[in-house]
Amino acid sequence: MVYIELSKRQEMILEMVKEFGPITGEHIAEKLHLCRAALRPDLAVLTMTGLLGAKPRVGYYLTGKKPTDVISGILGNIRVADFMSQPVAVRESNSVYDTIVTMFVEDVGTIFVVSEDGMLEGVVSRKDMLKSALTGENIHNLPISIAMTRMPNIVVTYPEESVFRVADKLLRHQVDSLPVVNIVSSNGKDQLKVVGRFTKTNITRLLVQLAEK
Ligand code: ADP
């Protein structure tokens, strides 16, 4: 079970919204004899955790969520776009050797394979590279296309998806990294344009940042 510790002021805001909600930020500030700006961080925490909802021009209201719902509230409210990394990609004619070099140079564990216009074609992991190296073939001449997991068997995420959904996908599919894509339609065909990378490291970084705040 995960508990969240609210500050005294945050508890007071919750009480106030319970009694007077929906209530605007200005009115809460007035009742607490504070300026609106001073309240902003507390209101941000309470809405981000999902304890308070906010409707434009109406004000804040209680969502009825319990503090124990907070972790799913936070992770469900943070978008992939806000925490993703730059993608590292190669073309499918790239050799296995060159892809391994790219992995070292870029310091990533997963590389995406894309078409000339950046559409997703494949994914290669460290173990895919090891497997190719163990075949005894000349990895300078071996194209990466023979080692990659290819479309349509790639698990992807989207900039607007929640971090909670991504964490669930990473676990369920037992992979380290998901390409972040936008769906692009051309000639009646849907393709996936790679715009980012979301890995287990991004989740870890997010948890540390949340804890530090
Ligand atoms: P490693 O193999 O280095 O432990 P992963 O667990 O991420 O890394 O990869 C395991 C297998 O899953 C590899 O064969 C890889 O090509 C494939 N894979 C990696 N990421 C994805 C993904 N997002 N969707 C589908 N398959 C993937």
Side-chain angles (χ1 to χ4, degrees):
M1 191 88 79
V2 180
Y3 291 97
I4 180 164
E5 210 170 303
L6 297 176
S7 69
K8 233 181 168 49
R9 190 192 281 171
Q10 289 161 0
E11 297 278 9
M12 276 162 69
I13 294 172
L14 283 183
E15 279 303 312
M16 200 154 287
V17 176
K18 190 172 170 190
E19 194 171 344
F20 303 108
I23 176 171
T24 62
E26 282 79 18
H27 282 130
I28 300 174
E30 248 171 52
K31 285 179 185 292
L32 290 176
H33 308 294
L34 288 167
C35 69
R36 177 78 178 82
L39 270 194
R40 202 159 288 141
D42 294 311
L43 288 170
V45 166
L46 292 170
T47 45
M48 211 169 109
T49 53
L51 296 171
L52 281 190
K55 281 204 190 98
R57 284 182 296 278
V58 178
Y60 294 92
Y61 59 93
L62 280 193
T63 57
K65 279 192 184 170
K66 297 178 291 302
T68 45
D69 297 331
V70 158
I71 284 288
S72 59
I74 294 172
L75 298 183
N77 276 331
I78 298 174
R79 307 288 113 198
V80 163
D82 299 328
F83 264 88
M84 68 189 191
S85 301
Q86 285 296 318
V88 177
V90 298
R91 301 292 309 282
E92 70 173 343
S93 54
N94 224 50
S95 70
V96 168
Y97 179 89
D98 285 340
T99 309
I100 294 173
V101 171
T102 305
M103 250 179 202
F104 276 101
V105 172
E106 300 285 346
D107 194 17
V108 290
T110 309
I111 290 198
F112 305 136
V113 182
V114 296
S115 66
E116 194 179 357
D117 45 1
M119 302 301 169
L120 183 63
E121 293 179 332
V123 170
V124 275
S125 73
R126 283 177 279 228
K127 259 183 247 147
D128 294 329
M129 299 294 85
L130 284 173
K131 227 186 288 171
S132 306
L134 288 174
T135 59
E137 296 198 42
N138 183 351
I139 58 171
H140 288 272
N141 299 333
L142 222 50
I144 197 62
S145 55
I146 66 121
M148 71 189 191
T149 299
R150 54 178 68 238
M151 287 291 289
N153 300 320
I154 301 176
V155 185
V156 299
T157 180
Y158 306 93
E160 290 314 309
E161 198 158 45
S162 76
V163 168
F164 180 66
R165 282 282 299 146
V166 186
D168 185 53
K169 283 182 179 179
L170 287 167
L171 266 187
R172 214 147 22 94
H173 297 278
Q174 297 181 7
V175 291
D176 295 342
S177 168
L178 301 185
V180 184
V181 298
N182 281 323
I183 300 174
V184 178
S185 290
S186 79
N187 302 327
K189 216 175 119 204
D190 280 352
Q191 290 193 303
L192 303 178
K193 173 108 181 160
V194 179
V195 294
R197 173 169 66 94
F198 207 96
T199 69
K200 289 177 174 173
T201 305
N202 293 91
I203 306 265
T204 312
R205 189 179 304 136
L206 171 61
L207 284 180
V208 170
Q209 282 195 19
L210 287 173
E212 279 175 352
K213 272 184 195 161

